[in-house]
């Protein structure tokens, strides 16, 4: 008797799998990773086989049999990885496994399944030849089909277009022996932006790049290890990734390359495709489900050896994995903000260790965590001897009117007269960040969340009357004409956002074209379109949120401007210095990548902050040393691990009770070396009050286990009525 241990793909927290099912003989090839449809209570659900056994604790007559095995299964090492994610991030085994499934295979037996795309291909036979010339009585359409097949076999769809043939016509011809048909699997390709799928050789590496690639290449032979590729902006990190991937391929090993967001970093993805052609498979959510499924299968079967994609590509079914690259490893998009709240960088480290693969994380502004934990490979200079652009810090305290410092206006005017390109970052979308009454100080807030409403759409170009929006819940209301408290009509618009800056720049720089890139502009034309329009333009200014600072390589940009370098500093978060440093340095990195050189202006209310100071001298090592010192003193990551437990409810009373109860349940389960802070209030969001508990621990595994068990106890002890709970390990 063969027993399959099956983890049902259910989202509920209460289910404790895996469950035993008896395999019928017809399912002899079912193994770990197979996906089965099984009876579960009164339902049919999908489940993943996580183990096989020869016996069960249950009596034979109580063992149900699976109903069906799906064609595509998951490699066993990914089953292990998915279960680990479920555990490690205090989620459920089923949600962890959900991450490693083939695209299109969701939970629920009836969920739509993506299937291979099969087409009928037809070829005419010798009889078909004779029939055409002979006196055989053929319909016009049948003749047209046979004629269309003169040049070789064709798919049913092509024949339908060319000869108006439907399937019935083909079947009729086949029955008469005039043609033969066979089924072939077609591969749905993801759309490529500009390049073909043929591989091209790389460029010669400079000595620093070559040294980095050689270290990785050695490590591939010696069974893995983790390295931080710490290279200044424009130092050619991507070429190093490509060289390492090639070294892996030469050894028969596969590669996963993680990129922050495909829409914002299409260049990196395209460079992989240009170098390795059809051996690259892309996996991202903008592709059709069919194309994603086909790319997944190409990896699974070994026909494609490299996977490129955003964080979820860390679960790509690459066999004989040799290398995982994490490009722009500081990017916050590597963290998933919904359950399971995994960090793709941690998952990549786990997967690399499991496979004996090399982990290569690259950035100009690495996280202190990575600097502390990984060995460092340095690319200290830009390629081709280009200099890093000089950075000038502009003090905005007192006296400056409007969003632009006079020196900024001056520098932008120079770009216009030279017909060049500039990038301006303002880390706030909309027209202005909030409104306040000038007479009584009333501030407009979201009725659902305790945050200010932002003003949108004031510019003449958008033609709108102005709308107040909440950036957290999407609530919108018309712009007020007067204050509801005192009736005054003098309302101040405070804090310039991207729309207002765009407006200002258009007036200041006309006729120079201004391009705006933020999540609102993306709604009308995609990020990629804005970026490629800016790239193709002869001259122009790109203004936007931090999206404009992401890894773009535009050689004609000679000026980079940060309008509010301290906006991220004001956030009450121990990572605010790190974020500010990264933003300013990354934006600076977009300037001066060509022969014309470049410069950078940083406007700030905090000119002496460590992050701004170090960024202005491109001193990443100095910043990391300071920051690591501070973190060590305060016991923050990487010198500890944080776990956040958040509770939310529309009513405050059950919320406070639950927070106190969960606090007690956790306190019982942790040692003295773990700090448990809270419950502290978080701002109200979408009509829900929130409380937060925070754990700070050295021993991560023990703390995660304590929280997991406390949450389970709270759920089973009914301590959470009407209260939602979520756990975030390594919160961002
Ligand atoms: P980074 O990711 O470090 O910011 P990129 O990989 O985008 O840098 O490289 C910047 C530019 O330099 C790219 O256009 C790339 O083609 C070019 N480049 C990289 N390595 C070399 C090299 N060894 N010689 C000449 N050009 C190079
Ligand atoms: Zn008022
Ligand atoms: Zn809101």
């Amino acid at each position: 008797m063969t027993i399959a241990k099956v983890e049902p793909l259910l989202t509920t927290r209460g289910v404790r799998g895996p469950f035993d099912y008896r395999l019928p003989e017809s399912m002899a090839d079912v193994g770990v990773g197979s996906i089965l449809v099984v009876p579960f209570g009164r339902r049919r659900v999908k489940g993943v086989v996580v183990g096989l056994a020869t016996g069960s604790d249950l009596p034979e007559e109580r063992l149900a049999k699976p109903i069906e095995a799906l064609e595509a299964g998951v490699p066993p090492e990914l089953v292990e990885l998915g279960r680990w994610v479920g555990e490690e991030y205090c989620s459920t085994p089923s949600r962890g496994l959900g991450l490693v499934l083939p695209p299109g295979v969701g939970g629920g037996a009836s969920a739509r399944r993506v299937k291979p795309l099969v087409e009928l291909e037809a070829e005419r036979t010798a009889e078909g030849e004779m029939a055409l010339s002979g006196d055989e009585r053929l319909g016009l359409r049948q003749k047209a089909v046979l004629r269309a097949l003169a040049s070789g076999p064709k798919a049913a769809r092509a024949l339908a277009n060319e000869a108006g043939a439907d399937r019935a016509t083909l079947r009729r011809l086949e029955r008469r022996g005039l043609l033969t048909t066979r089924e072939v699997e077609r591969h749905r390709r993801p759309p490529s932006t500009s390049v073909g799928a043929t591989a091209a050789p790389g460029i010669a590496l400079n000595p620093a790049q070559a040294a980095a690639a050689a270290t990785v290449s050695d490590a591939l032979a010696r069974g893995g290890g983790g390295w931080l590729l710490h290279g200044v902006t424009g130092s050619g990190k991507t070429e190093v990734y490509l060289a390492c991937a090639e070294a892996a391929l030469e050894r028969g090993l596969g590669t996963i390359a993680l990129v922050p967001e495909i829409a914002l970093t299409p260049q990196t993805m395209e460079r992989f495709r240009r170098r390795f052609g059809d051996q690259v498979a892309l996996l991202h959510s903008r592709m059709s489900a069919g194309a994603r499924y086909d790319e997944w299968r190409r990896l699974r079967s070994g026909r494609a050896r490299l996977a490129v994609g955003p964080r979820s590509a860390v679960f790509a079914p690459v066999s004989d994995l040799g290398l995982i690259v994490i490009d722009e490893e500081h990017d916050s998009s590597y963290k998933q903000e919904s359950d399971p709240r995994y960090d793709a960088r941690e998952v990549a480290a786990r997967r690399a260790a499991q496979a004996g693969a090399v982990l290569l994380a690259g950035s100009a502004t690495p996280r202190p965590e990575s600097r502390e934990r990984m060995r460092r490979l340095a690319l200290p200079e830009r390629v081709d001897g280009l200099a890093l652009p000089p950075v000038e810090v502009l003090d905005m305290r007192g006296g400056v009117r409007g969003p632009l410092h006079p020196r900024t206006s001056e520098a932008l005017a120079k770009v216009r007269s030279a017909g060049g390109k500039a990038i301006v970052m303002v880390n706030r979308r909309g027209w202005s960040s909030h409104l306040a009454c000038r007479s009584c100080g009333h501030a407009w807030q979201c009725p659902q969340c305790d945050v200010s409403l932002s003003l949108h759409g004031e510019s003449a170009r958008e033609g709108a009357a102005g709308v107040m929006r909440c950036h957290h819940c999407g609530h919108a209301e018309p712009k007020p004409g007067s204050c509801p408290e005192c009736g005054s009509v003098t309302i101040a618009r405070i804090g310039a956002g991207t729309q207002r800056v765009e407006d200002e720049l258009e007036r200041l720089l006309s006729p120079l074209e201004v391009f705006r890139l933020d999540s609102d502009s993306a709604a009308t034309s995609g990020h990629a379109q804005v970026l490629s329009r800016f790239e193709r333009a002869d001259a122009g200014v790109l203004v936007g949120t931090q999206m404009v600072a992401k890894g773009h390589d535009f050689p004609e940009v000679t000026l980079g401007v940060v309008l509010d370098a301290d906006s991220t500093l004001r956030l009450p978060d121990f990572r605010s210095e790190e974020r500010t440093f990264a933003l300013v340095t990354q934006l600076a990195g977009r300037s001066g990548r060509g022969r014309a050189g470049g410069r950078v202006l940083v406007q700030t209310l905090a000119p002496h902050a460590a992050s701004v100071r170090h960024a202005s001298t491109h001193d990443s090592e100095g910043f990391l040393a300071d920051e690591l010192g501070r973190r060590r003193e305060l016991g923050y990551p990487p010198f500890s691990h944080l776990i956040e437990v958040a509770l939310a409810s529309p009513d405050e009373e059950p919320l406070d009770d639950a927070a106190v109860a969960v606090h007690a349940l956790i306190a019982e389960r942790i040692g003295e070396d773990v700090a448990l802070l809270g419950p502290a209030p978080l701002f109200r969001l979408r009509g829900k009050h929130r409380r937060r508990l925070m754990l700070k621990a050295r021993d991560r595994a023990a703390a995660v286990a304590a929280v997991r068990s406390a949450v389970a106890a709270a759920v089973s002890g009914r301590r959470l009525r009407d209260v939602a709970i979520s756990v975030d390990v390594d919160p961002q």
Side-chain angles (χ1 to χ4, degrees):
M1 176 161 80
T2 311
I3 300 296
K5 300 203 165 284
V6 177
E7 192 66 67
L9 296 169
L10 298 168
T11 49
T12 39
R13 263 193 189 273
V15 179
R16 290 260 156 265
F19 300 99
D20 289 358
Y21 289 86
R22 192 156 68 100
L23 287 178
E25 255 157 46
S26 61
M27 291 191 186
D29 55 353
V30 161
V32 171
S34 294
I35 302 168
L36 305 177
V37 177
V38 293
F40 191 77
R42 290 205 194 111
R43 291 190 284 164
R44 294 171 162 203
V45 299
K46 282 189 204 123
V48 178
V49 178
V50 299
L52 292 176
T54 49
S56 172
D57 295 340
L58 288 173
E60 194 171 334
E61 64 277 10
R62 287 193 48 203
L63 285 171
K65 283 184 192 161
I67 294 155
E68 186 195 346
L70 301 201
E71 197 189 297
V74 175
E77 68 271 19
L78 285 181
V79 171
E80 195 196 321
L81 192 69
R83 294 177 93 194
W84 177 81
V85 168
E87 285 254 303
E88 185 69 9
Y89 293 94
C90 284
S91 182
T92 66
S94 135
R95 290 184 206 176
L97 285 170
L99 298 168
V100 304
L101 298 177
V105 178
S110 58
R112 190 176 62 89
R113 266 180 236 159
V114 183
K115 293 222 163 86
L117 178 68
V118 176
E119 282 196 335
L120 213 55
E121 199 167 74
E123 184 170 25
R124 86 183 184 201
T125 61
E127 286 75 31
E129 297 283 338
M130 293 188 305
L132 253 191
S133 49
D135 55 2
E136 194 98 28
R137 294 180 58 185
L138 291 171
L140 278 179
R141 206 180 275 169
Q142 298 185 357
K143 276 189 188 154
V145 169
L146 290 180
R147 248 179 257 122
L149 287 172
S151 53
K154 287 203 170 92
R157 196 186 303 170
L159 286 172
N161 288 341
E162 259 179 66
D166 52 14
R167 294 222 165 193
T169 314
L170 298 183
R171 297 277 180 230
R172 230 170 285 133
L173 286 167
E174 189 180 22
R175 267 204 305 276
R176 297 173 69 171
L178 302 181
L179 56 76
T180 57
T181 64
R182 65 202 160 95
E183 299 206 323
V184 283
E185 195 177 321
R186 288 258 169 257
H187 173 213
R188 288 157 285 202
R189 292 309 311 259
S192 168
T193 45
S194 53
V195 290
T198 39
I203 29 183
L205 300 182
N206 66 31
Q209 287 172 316
T215 304
V216 170
S217 191
D218 278 355
L220 286 171
R222 280 188 282 103
W227 274 271
L228 172 66
L229 183 63
H230 189 178
V232 299
T233 52
S235 58
K237 293 183 285 293
T238 311
E239 284 308 316
V240 175
Y241 306 148
L242 295 173
C244 296
E246 186 158 331
L249 265 187
E250 276 162 14
R251 295 180 179 279
L253 301 173
T255 292
I256 294 174
L258 302 179
V259 295
E261 283 157 273
I262 292 277
L264 293 171
T265 52
Q267 286 175 334
T268 309
M269 173 192 87
E270 284 303 331
R271 277 157 79 175
F272 269 90
R273 271 190 133 185
R274 216 174 311 164
R275 180 73 161 266
F276 299 107
D278 257 348
Q279 305 214 69
V280 176
L282 299 180
L283 294 167
H284 62 86
S285 57
R286 288 175 176 240
M287 291 158 54
S288 71
R292 242 183 308 154
Y293 180 74
D294 287 357
E295 290 290 79
W296 193 92
R297 279 168 54 100
R298 288 206 307 132
L299 288 167
R300 179 81 172 97
S301 66
R303 278 172 292 156
R305 300 294 291 129
L306 300 95
V308 182
R311 64 170 177 265
S312 58
V314 75
F315 302 109
V318 175
S319 54
D320 296 316
L321 185 64
L323 175 68
I324 304 181
V325 168
I326 308 175
D327 186 26
E328 310 287 3
E329 73 96 28
H330 60 276
D331 198 281
S332 57
S333 72
Y334 286 121
K335 172 85 179 175
Q336 169 140 310
E337 293 300 348
S338 60
D339 191 286
R341 296 165 190 272
Y342 70 91
D343 187 324
R345 297 163 292 203
E346 298 292 329
V347 179
R350 166 82 188 189
R351 185 161 182 197
Q354 186 188 13
V358 174
L359 182 66
L360 181 63
S363 176
T365 53
R367 294 177 300 157
E369 285 90 335
S370 307
R371 179 69 185 89
E372 180 70 12
R373 289 184 199 147
M374 301 170 94
R375 284 161 285 183
R376 178 171 176 264
L377 298 166
L379 302 179
E381 281 165 19
R382 283 190 165 178
V383 294
D384 277 349
L386 292 172
L388 283 164
V391 178
E392 194 178 334
V393 177
L394 302 173
D395 190 344
M396 294 295 279
R397 290 171 302 180
V400 182
R401 295 196 53 190
L404 303 179
H405 192 281
R407 288 190 59 82
T408 306
S409 307
E410 204 180 296
L412 284 164
K414 261 194 208 150
V415 168
R416 177 187 55 184
S417 53
K421 286 188 188 176
I423 297 183
V424 177
M425 178 169 77
V426 44
N427 206 7
R428 187 186 289 141
R429 63 198 173 88
W431 181 270
S432 59
S433 62
H434 53 285
L435 295 189
C437 171
R438 280 222 195 273
S439 357
C440 76
H442 172 77
W444 277 260
Q445 291 215 319
C446 174
Q448 297 293 311
C449 317
D450 295 333
V451 296
S452 318
L453 293 171
S454 299
L455 180 61
H456 280 249
E458 273 282 278
S459 75
R461 192 165 75 171
E462 317 231 335
V467 179
M468 310 275 287
R469 289 186 195 287
C470 172
H471 286 180
H472 291 272
C473 73
H475 166 86
E477 59 185 69
K479 183 185 140 191
S482 61
C483 174
E485 300 289 326
C486 73
S488 163
V489 291
T490 43
I491 297 168
R493 300 176 300 182
I494 300 163
T498 46
Q499 291 178 355
R500 179 164 162 211
V501 173
E502 176 190 29
D503 204 61
E504 196 108 348
L505 291 177
E506 275 179 340
R507 251 182 305 124
L508 179 74
L509 301 175
S510 165
L512 192 63
E513 197 172 355
V514 179
F515 305 83
R516 197 181 92 220
L517 181 68
D518 57 28
S519 48
D520 301 313
S521 75
T524 43
S525 59
H527 301 307
Q529 275 112 297
V530 178
L531 286 168
S532 76
R533 272 180 21 234
F534 177 64
E535 184 171 22
R536 284 196 312 264
D538 294 328
V541 180
L542 177 68
V543 53
T545 53
Q546 42 184 298
M547 291 178 184
V548 301
K550 308 244 169 183
H552 318 298
D553 186 23
F554 301 133
E556 301 96 7
V557 173
T558 53
L559 174 67
V561 182
V562 186
L563 288 193
D564 48 0
D566 39 280
S567 67
T568 42
L569 274 180
R570 291 192 293 266
L571 301 172
D573 178 354
F574 78 95
R575 287 203 173 89
S576 60
E577 290 276 357
E578 173 189 342
R579 271 204 197 111
T580 307
F581 177 79
L583 264 185
V584 175
T585 306
Q586 291 295 340
L587 192 275
R590 301 313 117 214
S591 175
R593 288 175 160 246
R595 290 275 152 240
R599 61 190 286 215
V600 179
L601 300 174
V602 178
Q603 298 187 176
T604 177
L605 292 167
H608 304 296
S611 46
V612 175
R613 239 178 341 102
H614 284 299
S616 70
T617 53
H618 304 285
D619 185 12
S620 179
E621 276 293 87
F623 173 74
L624 285 167
D626 276 11
E627 184 63 13
L628 281 166
R630 195 176 71 91
R631 300 256 184 113
R632 191 189 306 268
E633 221 163 82
L634 299 171
Y636 276 121
F639 305 103
S640 70
H641 301 273
L642 300 182
I643 304 173
E644 182 191 277
V645 181
L647 298 131
S649 169
D651 300 313
E652 289 203 83
E653 212 182 288
L655 179 62
D656 281 323
D657 292 348
V660 170
V662 172
H663 184 281
L665 289 167
I666 294 174
E668 282 165 17
R669 290 166 167 80
I670 52 175
E672 275 176 8
D673 53 333
V674 181
L676 174 59
L677 312 169
L682 288 173
F683 73 86
R684 197 167 52 101
L685 183 65
R686 297 170 201 276
K688 287 193 173 152
H689 298 275
R690 299 185 299 155
R691 302 287 182 268
R692 176 170 82 172
L693 304 171
M694 187 69 95
L695 283 86
K696 207 156 126 185
R698 279 184 179 278
D699 182 346
R700 172 195 174 104
V704 169
V707 170
R708 198 185 310 127
S709 140
V711 170
V715 171
S716 65
R718 303 192 181 282
R719 311 301 289 271
L720 296 175
R721 253 170 281 187
D722 301 325
V723 176
I725 189 165
S726 70
V727 178
D728 194 350
V729 180
D730 305 326
Q732 289 293 305

